[in-house]
Amino acid sequence: IKFCCISTVPDGFILDFNNNFAICLDTSDLSCCLETKTTTCEVTDTCYGTLKCPVDIQAVRLVGCSRLLANFGDIRPISGIGSNCSICCNTTTCVNQVIGFTCDKTPCEPCFDIRGSAISLSITNDNCGRQAVVIEYFAFVELVKSDC
């Protein structure tokens, strides 16, 4: 699942980026559904060689939306006082993709797990000269295969 959010440092403040960030990912609106797909299976027949037979399998499709909230940096005023301030951004990504295949007729619950993630942070300046932080976050989803 790919997320991208941008936050602009307000006028009068500057970002002191010190790798101080926190990320929260909500997956409560994601679920799985099954979609029947027909494929071909090869079976060895000792009398007639290899047989190619059609077989139905279940594609497990992850559907729904996931939300990301990120807090980062230390924000300080250009002139004045203040401490322990940060900026944040949030975004929602909706998905509708096949994450695996099964022979079962019902998906396991929970049907997926987050197996890893990657983050990319970049700081640029917007057209008005303010600092803008761009966060790209990738959550790697894997089908949970277990006895349901």
Side-chain angles (χ1 to χ4, degrees):
I1 306 170
K2 180 181 178 182
F3 299 89
C4 181
C5 66
I6 301 171
S7 185
T8 302
V9 177
D11 289 332
F13 295 88
I14 190 163
L15 175 65
D16 179 17
F17 190 76
N18 58 3
N19 289 329
N20 179 22
F21 64 91
I23 291 184
C24 296
L25 180 64
D26 173 47
T27 59
S28 63
D29 287 342
L30 294 176
S31 61
C32 292
C33 61
L34 299 180
E35 182 180 318
T36 302
K37 300 277 189 182
T38 301
T39 188
T40 303
C41 177
E42 290 188 5
V43 179
T44 302
D45 184 327
T46 56
C47 295
Y48 301 106
T50 302
L51 298 173
K52 290 187 178 185
C53 304
V55 62
D56 288 341
I57 61 171
Q58 302 299 318
V60 181
R61 185 172 288 278
L62 183 65
V63 294
C65 297
S66 182
R67 291 169 292 280
L68 176 84
L69 173 65
N71 295 308
F72 43 89
D74 289 328
I75 301 296
R76 57 183 168 82
I78 293 172
S79 175
I81 61 170
S83 63
N84 298 324
C85 295
S86 64
I87 58 175
C88 69
C89 66
N90 61 60
T91 189
T92 299
T93 297
C94 295
V95 296
N96 182 358
Q97 66 186 50
V98 173
I99 60 171
F101 295 90
T102 184
C103 296
D104 297 329
K105 297 294 182 188
T106 58
C108 293
E109 289 297 333
C111 60
F112 70 95
D113 195 9
I114 305 293
R115 293 293 182 179
S117 63
I119 187 169
S120 169
L121 295 159
S122 60
I123 301 173
T124 62
N125 289 322
D126 69 8
N127 293 338
C128 297
R130 295 174 296 209
Q131 291 176 305
V133 179
V134 178
I135 294 181
E136 289 183 283
Y137 183 80
F138 301 88
F140 303 108
V141 178
E142 184 174 272
L143 174 64
V144 171
K145 292 196 176 198
S146 64
D147 296 329
C148 301

